[in-house]
Amino acid sequence: MNNETILKVDHITKRFSGLVAVNDLSLLMKKRTIHALIGPNGSGKTTTVNQITGAFPPTEGEIYYKGTCTTHMQPYQIARLGISRTFQNLKLFTSLSVLENLMVGGHQMTKMGILNFLINPVKAKQEEAQLLERAEEVLEYIGLKDLRDTNVKNLPYGKQKMTEFGRALMMKPELLILDEPAAGLNPTERKAFVDIILKTFDTGIDIFLIEHNMDVVMNICTDITVLNFGAKIAEGSPYDIQNNDEVIKAYLGDKYKPIMAVKKEVL
Ligand SMILES: Nc1ncnc2c1ncn2[C@@H]1O[C@H](COP(=O)(O)OP(=O)(O)O)[C@@H](O)[C@H]1O
Ligand SMILES: [Mg+2]
């Protein structure tokens, strides 16, 4: 694997009983890129992310993160290597506050397990304090300081999604995987998300992005992989993808042909 590759997905196939959700998918993600994975609903995008993050292993094939084979690692092991994700269907505790949700998300970062917590309460307290400090930092970063103690269920959807984004940042990842971060957001919320994705990328975190909003994808991504029925049908730059006949037929439709004008105002 060359030095430039952060993530290598090597011929993975995922079968659920009779269904082939991901079919012999290979992709390389380079360091310092925002890499998009796009395709119609049900084409295997989330299933791909689930395998990269260790929710379940592929039926066949291997996955490497910075040269380390992660194919059969547990989610917490992969998280500790530096990969973090958000969930398409938010995984927040709705009756907990924004701050508490961030702290729960950061728990994998602390060295102490539950058992140690009981055995060594002093050390556990120190780690709790570090976690709180990190959560306050993230709150500030995502602009939700004022909503620190608000229960997540009382937040508008856009702010819930921002909380989910913050939760993923708690562990200071090197690779952040975002599963449809802008879905269901209004244009103002979407712009806030694009801004924070770019800002986060600028801090040195590489981004793997699943997204249906093509204005977002085409304007912020450097590389795109396209899935259809679990299989890769194209990969390349936004220019390549917008002009790929198979992608237009399977997913984009005629809307993006000829080349879409870059519409900064929608971002
Ligand atoms: N845990 C699962 N068990 C059974 N089938 C699944 C599971 N997860 C996903 N699938 C199926 O795999 C296919 C791909 O789903 P998914 O990866 O969620 O697609 P996408 O994220 O591209 O919309 C779909 O047909 C979906 O119903
Ligand atoms: Mg999905």
Side-chain angles (χ1 to χ4, degrees):
M1 189 185 296
N2 80 42
N3 299 335
E4 292 290 297
T5 302
I6 185 164
L7 181 69
K8 179 179 178 181
V9 171
D10 194 16
H11 293 284
I12 62 168
T13 290
K14 183 69 193 177
R15 293 191 194 92
F16 295 112
S17 319
L19 178 96
V20 184
V22 174
N23 189 359
D24 194 27
L25 171 66
S26 293
L27 69 84
L28 291 179
M29 177 178 170
K30 297 193 285 295
K31 275 189 183 153
R32 296 289 63 222
T33 57
I34 302 181
H35 191 123
L37 183 63
I38 65 173
N41 283 331
S43 59
K45 303 179 297 296
T46 298
T47 303
T48 299
V49 167
N50 284 339
Q51 293 169 93
I52 295 169
T53 55
F56 42 66
T59 314
E60 287 164 29
E62 305 294 341
I63 299 169
Y64 301 86
Y65 174 64
K66 295 203 300 186
T68 300
C69 181
T70 59
T71 314
H72 295 284
M73 284 188 184
Q74 294 300 310
Y76 78 92
Q77 295 173 305
I78 294 174
R80 283 181 184 172
L81 288 179
I83 301 181
S84 194
R85 73 175 291 184
T86 62
F87 290 87
Q88 184 174 355
N89 306 312
L90 311 182
K91 288 267 169 85
L92 296 169
F93 296 94
T94 51
S95 54
L96 295 183
S97 71
V98 174
L99 182 82
E100 287 163 339
N101 269 281
L102 295 181
M103 289 185 69
V104 171
H107 249 291
Q108 284 162 301
M109 185 174 68
T110 65
K111 294 185 196 74
M112 309 267 303
I114 294 288
L115 191 60
N116 281 341
F117 193 90
L118 298 173
I119 294 168
N120 192 345
V122 174
K123 186 96 197 308
K125 273 229 155 62
Q126 283 169 0
E127 295 209 342
E128 197 77 4
Q130 282 170 9
L131 207 54
L132 179 62
E133 196 182 327
R134 176 67 185 148
E136 302 275 12
E137 245 172 51
V138 171
L139 263 181
E140 172 103 48
Y141 183 79
I142 60 176
L144 295 187
K145 230 176 150 188
D146 295 349
L147 297 167
R148 182 186 190 277
D149 299 315
T150 305
N151 271 4
V152 161
K153 64 169 172 277
N154 297 327
L155 294 179
Y157 188 61
K159 301 256 189 293
Q160 292 191 6
K161 288 205 100 160
M162 199 53 94
T163 306
E164 170 84 354
F165 183 84
R167 190 189 52 69
L169 287 180
M170 280 295 292
M171 292 180 69
K172 301 187 176 170
E174 291 176 20
L175 171 59
L176 179 60
I177 303 179
L178 303 172
D179 195 349
E180 302 205 18
L185 301 185
N186 65 38
T188 313
E189 293 168 331
R190 192 156 68 228
K191 179 172 186 327
F193 246 98
V194 167
D195 287 348
I196 204 161
I197 290 172
L198 290 173
K199 184 169 134 188
T200 304
F201 179 68
D202 283 344
T203 67
I205 299 175
D206 297 321
I207 310 248
F208 189 79
L209 176 70
I210 295 178
E211 182 51 57
H212 280 299
N213 187 305
M214 284 305 112
D215 290 327
V216 172
V217 170
M218 297 303 177
N219 283 293
I220 73 173
C221 294
T222 40
D223 300 272
I224 302 174
T225 301
V226 189
L227 289 184
N228 195 28
F229 295 112
K232 180 170 74 180
I233 58 167
E235 64 191 342
S237 67
Y239 180 92
D240 297 336
I241 297 305
Q242 287 169 59
N243 288 283
N244 182 303
D245 286 337
E246 201 178 346
V247 178
I248 291 165
K249 196 160 151 243
Y251 182 56
L252 293 181
D254 288 334
K255 195 168 124 206
Y256 283 89
K257 197 182 183 191
I259 306 247
M260 172 198 82
V262 176
K263 292 186 235 150
K264 289 287 180 206
E265 72 272 16
V266 297
L267 289 177

